[in-house]
Amino acid sequence: AVNKQAAVTAGLMPLAECEVVIVHTQPQGGEARLRGEQDMMVKLSPILNTTLYTAVAGPALASKLLYLCLKHYTLASTTVTGIPMKEEQNASSSANYDVELFHLGESHIKLLGDVSDLTLSRREDCEYMTATLKWCTPRGS
């Protein structure tokens, strides 16, 4: 009824779609007390969907929120591994680091065309896939 009224009222816009996402957090070591479907979208009406997620407080919650952001904004992950970086304390040696980048999900296809050669893997304790690229140090000329 409210959506129909918004359609005919100046200055208001009717909703085309509404997705309600609920993230239930629980303490570490706590027992899950929720009943019902989790991590599944439930269509409540033609324009209203809801999804219930559960995450344990701490790193698992951070991982869940990152997954939801990637999904909501249609982002993808690329991890560049083995990047040598000099340490301030010991400038004579370097340590290798991995750096994760977030970007538009369609970037892999636009840059590479055929992404079948791209290695996708699941990072530890994460719910999303990342494309892994190995750092290659350019040769001096």
Side-chain angles (χ1 to χ4, degrees), residues 17-124:
E17 183 179 5
C18 180
E19 182 179 350
V20 177
V21 175
I22 300 167
V23 180
H24 171 260
T25 60
Q26 56 194 43
Q28 292 182 350
E31 192 175 313
R33 297 184 191 143
L34 290 179
R35 294 186 186 123
E37 295 296 325
Q38 295 180 37
D39 296 0
M40 265 182 71
M41 183 180 290
V42 177
K43 192 169 189 76
L44 299 176
S45 76
I47 62 168
L48 179 62
N49 302 315
T50 184
T51 310
L52 171 65
Y53 294 97
T54 300
V56 175
L61 177 59
S63 176
K64 178 67 77 174
L65 293 175
L66 179 56
Y67 162 76
L68 291 172
C69 286
L70 292 172
K71 181 179 167 190
H72 179 78
Y73 292 106
T74 318
L75 298 175
S77 165
T78 298
T79 302
V80 182
T81 62
I83 302 173
M85 294 186 196
K86 296 213 181 271
E87 299 286 340
E88 284 185 31
Q89 299 87 0
N90 191 0
S92 62
S93 67
S94 63
N96 288 342
Y97 291 91
D98 297 345
V99 176
E100 186 173 19
L101 308 167
F102 300 111
H103 49 81
L104 289 176
E106 62 200 25
S107 298
H108 294 146
I109 294 170
K110 285 187 174 183
L111 288 173
L112 302 173
D114 180 18
V115 294
S116 62
D117 292 336
L118 199 58
T119 303
L120 292 174
S121 59
R122 189 173 304 277
R123 293 196 50 173
E124 185 179 330

